[in-house]
């Protein structure tokens, strides 16, 4: 099995870079401990590892006597056997492209995404700022972790994990088209460059991991 994880430390709280690092270290350590060589319950592992990352942040804040806790988003994808499983908390996203179609995308834990979903059911008023999240690691309440899978993989399926710095300035349609049309070794850096160009001087950090499944 293989684990791919991306964490994006949150501004407005102390030590965002420490938050993302601690979350990544916690997931990596648990994966190395439990994957022998596979995980018995991949979905459960993802959920428990992300919650463990959250508790690590709370402990860190207590040890350092910080007034506020460092916070981070996280998205994690586990490839095991011929299936993909993923989980996320916050607004770092996973995209999955098969052929020329976007077949899966995580839904952000943000008020703007919630409003987008709700607006298809009832008319909605003013739009929320996309940066306002209702859950993340390090927050006072227990994080909301959404999981998905198993999704059986086919040859040339492509997965992209990214921070909001990418999808905030590059549309889903462009992300899917680039991932579908170009080798991922070209598509990933080109998407990063495009996001930086589109956002200009106000660009957020843009972080991307992309994976292509070769065969079952």
């Amino acid at each position: 099995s293989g684990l791919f994880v991306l964490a994006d430390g949150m501004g407005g709280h102390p030590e965002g870079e420490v938050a993302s690092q601690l979350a990544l270290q916690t997931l990596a350590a648990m994966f190395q401990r439990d994957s022998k060589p596979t995980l018995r319950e991949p979905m459960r592992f993802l959920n428990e590892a992300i919650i463990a990352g959250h508790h690590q942040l709370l402990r860190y804040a207590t040890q350092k006597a910080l007034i506020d806790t460092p916070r981070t988003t996280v998205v994690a994808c586990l490839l095991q056997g011929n299936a993909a499983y993923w989980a996320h908390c916050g607004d770092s996203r996973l995209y999955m492209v098969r052929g020329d179609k976007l077949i899966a995308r995580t839904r952000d834990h943000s008020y703007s995404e919630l409003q987008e979903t709700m607006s298809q059911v009832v008319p909605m008023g003013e739009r929320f700022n996309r940066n306002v999240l209702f859950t993340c690691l390090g927050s006072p309440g227990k994080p909301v972790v959404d999981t998905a899978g198993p999704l059986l993989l086919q040859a040339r399926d492509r997965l992209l994990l990214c921070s909001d710095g990418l999808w905030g300035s590059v549309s889903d349609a462009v992300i899917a088209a680039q991932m579908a049309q170009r080798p991922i070794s070209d598509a990933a850096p080109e998407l990063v460059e495009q996001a930086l160009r589109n956002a200009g001087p106000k660009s957020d950090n843009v972080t991307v991991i992309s994976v292509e499944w070769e065969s079952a």
Side-chain angles (χ1 to χ4, degrees), residues 49-127:
I50 288 173
I51 296 296
H54 166 70
H55 288 303
Q56 193 64 34
L57 295 182
L58 299 185
R59 274 195 295 274
Y60 177 83
T62 304
Q63 287 163 2
K64 298 279 183 181
L66 300 176
I67 295 167
D68 192 11
T69 314
R71 303 183 191 193
T72 186
T73 69
V74 67
V75 58
C77 179
L78 184 69
L79 303 182
Q80 179 165 295
N82 62 343
Y85 308 79
W86 59 85
H88 78 290
C89 178
D91 65 355
S92 289
R93 289 183 182 176
L94 175 141
Y95 291 83
M96 184 170 179
V97 174
R98 175 172 290 164
D100 61 354
K101 290 188 173 58
L102 178 64
I103 64 165
R105 168 171 84 76
T106 52
R107 294 285 156 198
D108 310 329
H109 295 130
S110 67
Y111 290 103
S112 58
E113 185 92 301
L114 193 61
Q115 195 174 42
E116 194 65 42
T117 306
M118 289 291 291
S119 68
Q120 294 164 25
V121 185
V122 290
M124 301 293 280
E126 189 181 335
R127 295 283 177 203

Side-chain angles (χ1 to χ4, degrees), residues 11 13 37 46 50 52 61 80 93 124 147 153 159 175 211-212:
H13 302 279
L46 286 171
I50 288 173
Q80 179 165 295
R93 289 183 182 176
M124 301 293 280
T147 54
L153 294 161
L159 294 149
I175 291 171
V211 187
E212 181 172 331

